[in-house]
Structure formats: structure tokens, C-alpha cells
Amino acid sequence: MFPRISLDICLRSLMRQVSPLIFLFVAASAIPLTAQISSVASESCVEEKATAPVPLVIEVKDSSGGVLPRAAVEAHCGASLHNGITAEDGRVSLDLRPGRYGILVRMPGFAGSLQVVDVPARTGTVEVVMAIAASTDVINVNADTGFVPYESNAGSKTNSLLVEVPQSISIVNQQEIEARNVVTVNEALRYTPGVQADEYGVEPRFDWLKIRGFDAQTFGIFRDGMRFNSLAGKLDPFELESVEVLKGPSSVLYGEIPPGGLINQVTKRPSAERSTQIEGLFGAYDRRQGSFDTTGSFDRAEVFRYRLLGLIRNSSTQTNFTPDNRRLIAPALTWHPSERTNFSVLADYQYDGSKWSQFLPANGTLYSTNPNGIIPVSTFLGEPNFDRVTRTQGSLAYTGDHLFSDGWNLHSNYRYQYIGLKAQTIAGNGFDGTSQTEVSRYLFATPSTNRFHTVDTRALRRFKAGNWEQTVLFGYDYQHINQRATSYYLFGVGDLNIYNPVYGQTTIPTGAPFLNNNNLLQQHGLYAQDQIKYRSHLIFTLGGRQDFAKNDITNFLPGGANFSHLDERFTGRVGITYLTDSGIAPYFAYSTSFLPNAGTYVFDPTTGLSTTPAVPSDARQVEGGVKFQPRTWNSFITASVFQINETNVLVADSNFNQHQNGEVRSRGVELEAVASMSHGLNLHGGYTFTATNNIDDVTTANIGKWLPQTPREQFSFLADYTQGGGRFAGLGGNFGVRFVGRNAADAANSFFIPNFTLLDAGLRFGYRNTLFRINATNLTDKRYVATCTGLTACYYGYARNVIGTAAYRF
């Protein structure tokens, strides 16, 4: 048995270690804010809580005097937040107690506006004039904005309001990431419906993720809108300001994508205002981590801005002999000479040291019938002096924006990324057949390198005539991915007593390579999109894309055959949304996607040969739902139903010949609600029902069965509270519950993994510029099996992990 990574995934993932690389990455700049406004919106605000609230009318206009409906308005005062959405007349009324507030206004296509307002206002009405801005402009504010997102670039590449995009989108923002003190991207998405995080349980190497029942880790992971291979690299949440999940086929904007959707990791950006954070983290399994994050402007005019963050971690894990060590440095620079132009670069270098996940027998983990008892969760089946996973990754990127006088906005970003990985292990292959203690083992090694060049250039413009508004987008992107991979295996390395392991008794032989390839993937994509709005209520979203994906594989094995193939696909999306004055927005959409099957030949039963290159797998989705963003309180709710059909799926017969007559289907319901109350309470809840089925297969016995490693139901709920005033101001914490339903272990559904429920909790106290946190996941230390890929390969889930943090900000 091989590890669960298939030959194709091996080829497309793990990378060889080389010398460090520093990368300069792009980030759209923050809009300048004065120190006075920042302090009023965060610490210096005074709200007279004992006084009855009075109405404050805010009117939002553009520079020509035209009113702007559907603008997001927030009134900040310390930990207190009040929000609303402007109506057709460009106005919104907020009931505020007397005091001084920071009024933040955001509207797609305009630069964010933040100003100080005293309540009650002299005129009773505050007028806000919005200036046109570049498509990637963002605004940074120190006020507590809660867990609720407003807009995203992921679903439209035009920074649209989430309520206007006819697709389910989930966002975990920086405040939620920090409140839960997450340490992996997997952990950040544990409360996101439609996403299956920690698919293979304890996994220190990579982020294994599924969306709506489909694997996302190889082609569905992005960073700042450009491809990032999660089965090669791994980003630290400390480097991210948010994680976005775009659900369903999304090739129309991103090219080759799994049917379930994509995950976009958004890197922290330079800020115009100076701030520094120094943090120390200590926890279970001897975890020790130090980090810093500093940002600000070099000059008074805030034209040149910087950000520099770094992290050092030394840690063990719940698995014996398995470290989780990391070194990270990430500089960033932004040049923002005017509101019409900005140019940014951002870089990082990261080094990781860890080991492989464990392949444990079902008898002793999933089943308690082993007479020798339960296999401990700390069990390590490899050889401490042989097993290792070391990764070196670095990137260099730029982003540029310019808004022309005629209204066209040109945006371009590019990244070069290198990931090198050395990975070798002695893995378990189940009991050897002579006893229920001795486990047979095999050697597996896969040193690899991966080099990415990605570029995305697009132009957009917004038009308005009478009752009609349009946002037109044209774009071109290019990917050049060069992967060099070698893989070895050797069976019969030497048995190990799983209950009483004695290491170092076996001479480690060298295996012969079964894979030695260089894979070059080049993809060109041309795309266009039109968002049409009528009377600020009815929105049509139309998009189309033509892709050309060429794959060249050079096989260095003796007698190995080379491969070259060009795939062409047209994909699209059609959607409609209706915005009501109450904030309810029903929507419906149809979208398609494709995913190449590079390097695979399908079997021809007439000739008995596998000589025909496999064509891409195609997917189509129908999705409908309702989004609700109330005008009177800070929340966002999404309810969606969907059906995804993927065709041209590769399936293997009993002789391991590949056929392309497979079809799978995923249909389900997703509910998500995020709310931030004005008194410091944040809520995040979700429910997922995902029914996956095998519709067609060369093995008829598999037809109608569940897709493996996909739970039918998931439920999560998180409550986070911070005391805003009084004697216990700054005291807070959170409590969460996660339920994961049962899932099938194999395609034949011969056995299932039972459901499990986990509890998380956190406690924190902030005083002046210092914050102390303690967070615990799997609070009750429940032992559970996350999944199995067979009776010889089961994977424990994460045991209780307690982490304490002390952070000082100035």
C-alpha cells in the first residue's frame, strides 16, 4: 500500500529543499487615516451609555452629487458598533447614544471614507462624499468590526458586496482568526459550512480540505487570487488577514478548478498608520513561538508604506517524534503616490520541519476489538532517525493599480513562487497477519521541487445611465508551473510492535524510483464578466472564459514514455440576484468548471491498450438561495441549495486500467449566519448537508455509493464575547461546538467512520496595550478517528491542545 497521495498528486505536489528565497509580494494599499480619526474610532471614543439614543441620518453621495444606495455604513465607538445599508435615496438612519463616533462608509468602486462625528449632530444629517478608487483599495481601521464580512474580490474580481454575488461565499476574517488563536488554515475553516477541514486528522505536512465533497488541496487553493498548491506549500495564519471560500464551480474567473470551489488566502497588507505587535505563544506539546508584526508609513504624506512580520516556532505534536517547527519572515512595501495609483511588493521566506502522518490499523483505532487494547494516539510507526519532512518556500510578487481619467481601472499582479520539499517515511501497512501487535511497514520517499509563475491582468469600468448600472470586467491570466518529482517505495522494511515499538532495529534499504518526471503545465485564460444592475435591485451576472491548458511531461525512467497534450475549454456563469429594501436577496446561478487529467491515458477495450490521453473532467452546478444583510443590525446570513454533477471522471477497473466514464454528483444544503452585536457579542454558526453519490462507474458495485471521506452532515456554532466597559472591560472569551457526521471509508462503502462532536473554548483579557489569551481545542480530549482510507490506514483526529498567548501592541 502507498500513502494516500496518488501518483498524479505526488507529481503535482511535494517539493525539494533549496537555498532560501525572499519574495516581495503585492498588496493593495490602505487608504490614509490620520492618527486623530484612528484614536477616536478605537480607544478615545466616548459613548454616553446612560443616555437615550438619538437618530443620526447619514447621506452618501458620489463626487457629482448623485446619491449612492447600498453603501455599507458603520459607526464605531470602542468595542461598540452600529451599522446599516443606505436606501434608494442614499440615506440611512442609525440610533446612537450621544458621544463621538468614527463613521466608516464602504462602497464597491469607491475609496473608503472614515470621519469623526459628534452625536447629536448639529444639522441632524451627516453628508459623506465618496471618491472613485482603484479596484483593490482597502481601508484599515483599528475599531472592532466583528466577524461579519461585507465585500470580497474572490467572487467577482470587482470587490463587490457579498450580498450582490450570486454564489455562496464564506469569509473568516482576521478578528475571528485571532479570537480563536488558530495555528493552521485547516483550523481557521473548522466553523465554515460546506468545507471539510482536517480531512485526514492529524496532518503536520499539508492542509487537506474538501469543499462540497470535492478535494480542494491540489488545484483549489489560492493566495491573493493566484494559484497556491496546498499539497506542496503551507501558509501560516499569522501571515493572513482573512481566508475566503468561494463555493461551487468557479473556472469562469480562475481557470482549472475542482467542482467544489476554491479557498483564497489573503495576505496581510501594509497600513498607512504605524503599529507594532510582539507576541509570545506557549502551549501543549512543548510549543514555543515568538512573533512580531510591524507596519506604517515612511513619510508624512503616507506615500511609502511598509510591513514586516516574522515568526519562529519550535514545537512537538501529539504524535511521538513529530515536530512542528517553522521559521518565517515576510517584508512588504507599498508605493501610493495618489488615490489613482498604487504599486506594492510583498515577500516571504519560510522553512518548516516536521514528519509524516501515521497510517494506523482500524483494529485498535476505529474498532476496539483488538485484544491488546486501544492503540495510543501518540503512536509513531516510522523510524525517528529516517523519517523527515523539510520544506523551503519563498515568493516574489508585485501588484499595480491605476485608475485612468476616463474611469477604466487597470490591475495587474504577478508572483514567482518556489517550494522545495524533502519527504521520506517508513509507513505502516497494517498487521502482518501473524498477530494483532506486529505491523508490516514500507519505505516511501518523494523529493520534489515546484516553481510557479502566475500573472493576472484585468481592466474594469463602471457605467451608470438612468436606472441602469454596469460593471464590466476583461481579463487575461497565465500560469507556468514546473514540477520536478521523484518517488520511491520499498515493501518489507521490517515489522514493528505497535504497542511496544523498538526503533533502530532495521537497516533502511534504498528503494528504486517508480516515478521520475518533469511536469510543465502552461495555462492561458481569457475572461469577461458583466454585472448589470437595474434600479439598484435586480442584478444580472454574466461571465465567460476560454482556457488553453498545455501539459508536457518528461519521463526520466528507463523506457518511460513522454506526454504532451493540449486541453481547451469554455466555461461560464449566469446568475441573477434581487435586492430588497429589507436586505433580503434571493439569487439563482448556473456555472461550469473543468479540471485536466494530465499525464493519464485511458483504456481502449477494442485494442486492449491505454494509449488515448484523458480529457478534462467537466462539472456544472445549479445553485439557488437567499442572502440576508439586515439594515438594522450587523449580520450576514446565507441559505443555499445546490447540485453539482462532474462528468469524465477517471475510474479504474479491477486490473487498474483507467476509464473515463465516471460521473459523480453532490447535492446539498448550506446555512451560515455571522453576527456582531453592539455589546461585544460575535456569533458564527453553520449547518451543512452534503449528499454525494457515484452516478456512473466501470465497477457497477460502486454506483449509488457515497463518495469516501465526505460526511453527510456538519454543524458548528461559535459564540465570542468581550466586555466593552465597566470593571471587567477587556475580559472576554468564546465557546464553540463542532459536529461532524459519519463518512464512508472507501468507494465500496464497506465500512463507515462514526460521527463525533468536539468542543472548543477560549478566555482572554486585554489591559491597555497588552492582551492575554488561552485557547483550547477538543476541550474534553475526545479520542476519535477522523477517517480511514482502508482497514490498514486510519487517522486519529486532534487531541486536546491548549495554547496561551501574550501580545503587546503599540
Side-chain angles (χ1 to χ4, degrees):
M1 173 190 170
F2 304 124
R4 58 177 172 269
I5 306 177
S6 67
L7 301 187
D8 180 65
I9 293 178
C10 287
L11 178 64
R12 293 178 175 274
S13 59
L14 312 169
M15 308 185 167
R16 190 184 174 113
Q17 179 182 3
V18 294
S19 57
L21 245 186
I22 296 241
F23 97 100
L24 284 175
F25 181 106
V26 93
S29 65
I31 295 174
L33 302 176
T34 67
Q36 177 190 7
I37 293 176
S38 174
S39 63
V40 170
S42 55
E43 298 173 358
S44 301
C45 166
V46 176
E47 181 182 13
E48 300 176 14
K49 296 182 178 295
T51 308
V54 296
L56 176 70
V57 178
I58 300 168
E59 185 177 26
V60 182
K61 299 180 178 180
D62 60 21
S63 56
S64 68
V67 298
L68 294 177
R70 305 301 301 175
V73 179
E74 301 173 9
H76 294 276
C77 184
S80 178
L81 182 147
H82 308 262
N83 85 300
I85 304 294
T86 58
E88 293 300 313
D89 59 359
R91 294 188 172 202
V92 62
S93 178
L94 302 178
D95 291 331
L96 306 177
R97 290 184 172 87
R100 174 163 290 186
Y101 292 81
I103 303 297
L104 171 63
V105 182
R106 291 181 288 187
M107 180 76 179
F110 294 86
S113 172
L114 180 62
Q115 58 183 274
V116 180
V117 173
D118 290 316
V119 177
R122 295 175 184 173
T123 63
T125 301
V126 175
E127 183 177 287
V128 178
V129 179
M130 306 288 285
I132 296 176
S135 66
T136 56
D137 275 351
V138 295
I139 187 165
N140 289 335
V141 61
N142 292 333
D144 182 358
T145 57
F147 290 1
V148 181
Y150 279 98
E151 68 272 335
S152 168
N153 221 30
S156 64
K157 290 192 176 180
T158 60
N159 205 31
S160 297
L161 291 172
L162 293 178
V163 74
E164 296 185 358
V165 180
Q167 193 168 0
S168 180
I169 303 174
S170 297
I171 299 178
V172 181
N173 64 17
Q174 186 175 344
Q175 182 172 330
E176 183 173 346
I177 290 174
E178 292 180 352
R180 290 165 46 203
N181 204 11
V182 303
V183 296
T184 66
V185 173
N186 259 298
E187 188 175 339
L189 295 172
R190 286 176 179 172
Y191 286 86
T192 302
V195 178
Q196 183 185 355
D198 303 319
E199 179 185 356
Y200 292 101
V202 179
E203 174 52 276
R205 298 170 300 159
F206 312 121
D207 289 316
W208 295 86
L209 295 154
K210 278 188 174 181
I211 308 175
R212 292 184 170 177
F214 297 94
D215 288 330
Q217 51 265 9
T218 304
F219 287 98
I221 306 297
F222 282 68
R223 180 181 185 181
D224 298 317
M226 294 185 288
R227 189 172 304 284
F228 180 88
N229 190 344
S230 183
L231 284 190
K234 187 174 184 178
L235 295 181
D236 196 288
F238 185 69
E239 199 175 354
L240 304 178
E241 67 178 30
S242 65
V243 181
E244 305 171 324
V245 183
L246 183 60
K247 303 172 189 175
S250 304
S251 288
V252 67
L253 293 176
Y254 296 96
E256 53 186 46
I257 291 293
L262 66 91
I263 294 167
N264 184 40
Q265 304 165 105
V266 181
T267 312
K268 288 179 179 177
R269 314 300 174 93
S271 173
E273 299 173 75
R274 290 189 179 182
S275 66
T276 299
Q277 172 182 306
I278 301 173
E279 185 176 84
L281 187 151
F282 306 90
Y285 311 113
D286 199 26
R287 177 174 289 260
R288 293 156 294 158
Q289 176 176 305
S291 62
F292 71 92
D293 182 3
T294 182
T295 186
S297 299
F298 287 111
D299 58 320
R300 279 189 165 185
E302 300 175 344
V303 173
F304 295 97
R305 304 159 191 177
Y306 65 88
R307 189 158 200 157
L308 179 66
L309 61 85
L311 178 150
I312 297 177
R313 178 170 70 234
N314 290 323
S315 178
S316 300
T317 64
Q318 70 184 66
T319 306
N320 292 334
F321 308 108
T322 302
D324 182 20
N325 300 332
R326 175 161 294 166
R327 308 291 185 265
L328 168 66
I329 187 75
L333 297 172
T334 292
W335 177 56
H336 191 79
S338 72
E339 295 300 328
R340 290 183 174 271
T341 304
N342 66 64
F343 185 85
S344 301
V345 291
L346 185 143
D348 72 354
Y349 164 76
Q350 181 176 308
Y351 175 82
D352 294 338
S354 188
K355 290 184 180 177
W356 216 280
S357 56
Q358 301 303 300
F359 298 69
L360 304 175
N363 193 5
T365 55
L366 183 65
Y367 304 121
S368 57
T369 54
N370 193 311
N372 301 287
I374 297 297
I375 298 172
V377 297
S378 59
T379 300
F380 177 75
L381 293 180
E383 289 291 332
N385 294 327
F386 177 81
D387 284 51
R388 67 171 177 173
V389 175
T390 58
R391 173 172 46 231
T392 304
Q393 66 184 47
S395 299
L396 172 64
Y398 76 81
T399 279
D401 265 289
H402 182 71
L403 180 65
F404 293 91
S405 57
D406 61 359
W408 282 98
N409 177 215
L410 180 65
H411 172 78
S412 179
N413 50 314
Y414 161 83
R415 175 184 292 117
Y416 168 76
Q417 180 172 295
Y418 172 85
I419 308 175
L421 189 137
K422 292 182 178 179
Q424 58 187 42
T425 186
I426 304 297
N429 195 30
F431 293 117
D432 62 5
T434 65
S435 70
Q436 294 292 299
T437 60
E438 297 295 321
V439 174
S440 63
R441 299 184 298 170
Y442 64 96
L443 178 151
F444 184 81
T446 175
S448 357
T449 59
N450 205 338
R451 291 178 172 87
F452 292 73
H453 294 270
T454 53
V455 63
D456 183 16
T457 301
R458 57 187 182 265
L460 69 90
R461 185 177 178 183
R462 295 177 168 88
F463 301 90
K464 185 173 183 180
N467 294 322
W468 295 89
E469 299 175 54
Q470 276 185 283
T471 301
V472 180
L473 174 73
F474 300 97
Y476 165 78
D477 61 26
Y478 172 67
Q479 302 174 37
H480 182 283
I481 303 173
N482 197 334
Q483 304 167 321
R484 183 73 170 88
T486 306
S487 295
Y488 305 81
Y489 75 89
L490 184 68
F491 286 101
V493 173
D495 290 0
L496 184 75
N497 188 317
I498 199 170
Y499 291 95
N500 186 26
V502 179
Y503 304 105
Q505 303 299 306
T506 301
T507 300
I508 307 299
T510 57
F514 68 89
L515 182 147
N516 189 0
N517 284 350
N518 187 82
N519 187 351
L520 176 61
L521 172 64
Q522 300 179 78
Q523 177 183 301
H524 301 262
L526 294 167
Y527 59 90
Q529 179 182 265
D530 194 3
Q531 295 167 281
I532 307 169
K533 184 185 294 187
Y534 178 66
R535 289 183 176 272
S536 300
H537 287 293
L538 192 61
I539 301 175
F540 299 94
T541 302
L542 310 172
R545 177 187 177 106
Q546 179 66 46
D547 275 295
F548 307 88
K550 189 175 187 296
N551 197 272
D552 296 291
I553 298 176
T554 304
N555 193 333
F556 296 105
L557 292 177
N562 296 333
F563 175 92
S564 181
H565 189 63
L566 174 65
D567 293 312
E568 300 180 16
R569 279 293 187 274
F570 179 84
T571 53
R573 174 175 66 174
V574 178
I576 184 172
T577 304
Y578 185 78
L579 301 177
T580 66
D581 293 332
S582 63
I584 298 175
Y587 71 93
F588 176 82
Y590 174 82
S591 57
T592 61
S593 69
F594 81 106
L595 191 62
N597 293 296
T600 303
Y601 292 91
V602 296
F603 181 73
D604 185 350
T606 60
T607 62
L609 300 175
S610 295
T611 56
T612 304
V615 299
S617 298
D618 298 298
R620 60 189 184 275
Q621 174 186 263
V622 176
E623 178 179 337
V626 177
K627 298 182 180 182
F628 181 34
Q629 189 171 28
R631 295 182 54 196
T632 55
W633 54 295
N634 189 20
S635 63
F636 191 80
I637 301 170
T638 303
S640 61
V641 295
F642 65 89
Q643 177 171 311
I644 303 173
N645 285 71
E646 185 181 25
T647 56
N648 296 330
V649 177
L650 289 174
V651 290
D653 59 25
S654 57
N655 295 319
F656 303 104
N657 295 312
Q658 293 288 339
H659 300 256
Q660 204 163 14
N661 64 340
E663 180 179 356
V664 297
R665 181 186 67 204
S666 174
R667 54 168 57 153
V669 177
E670 292 168 358
L671 306 174
E672 182 173 27
V674 186
S676 294
M677 311 301 186
S678 60
H679 49 276
L681 178 64
N682 287 285
L683 305 174
H684 189 177
Y687 171 77
T688 306
F689 175 81
T690 308
T692 58
N693 292 99
N694 199 340
I695 303 301
D696 197 4
D697 197 311
V698 67
T699 304
T700 56
N702 291 342
I703 296 177
K705 300 299 177 62
W706 295 14
L707 299 185
Q709 287 83 54
T710 304
R712 284 268 161 136
E713 289 187 281
Q714 294 185 94
F715 168 81
S716 60
F717 179 77
L718 175 72
D720 184 277
Y721 176 75
T722 301
Q723 178 66 30
R727 179 181 300 179
F728 299 104
L731 180 65
N734 52 62
F735 181 81
V737 56
R738 296 178 280 130
F739 169 82
V740 179
R742 70 172 190 152
N743 66 84
D746 57 2
N749 292 186
S750 60
F751 66 105
F752 288 81
I753 313 302
N755 58 50
F756 54 88
T757 301
L758 305 174
L759 304 179
D760 305 321
L763 185 66
R764 62 179 175 272
F765 177 70
Y767 179 72
R768 296 186 183 273
N769 296 328
T770 306
L771 178 65
F772 300 94
R773 290 192 304 247
I774 183 168
N775 293 79
T777 55
N778 190 2
L779 187 63
T780 61
D781 200 21
K782 180 182 180 64
R783 184 188 67 86
Y784 67 99
V785 172
T787 195
C788 299
T789 55
L791 293 173
T792 63
C794 291
Y795 312 96
Y796 274 128
Y798 283 92
R800 179 170 53 217
N801 192 16
V802 181
I803 296 176
T805 305
Y808 179 69
R809 300 179 181 181
F810 58 95

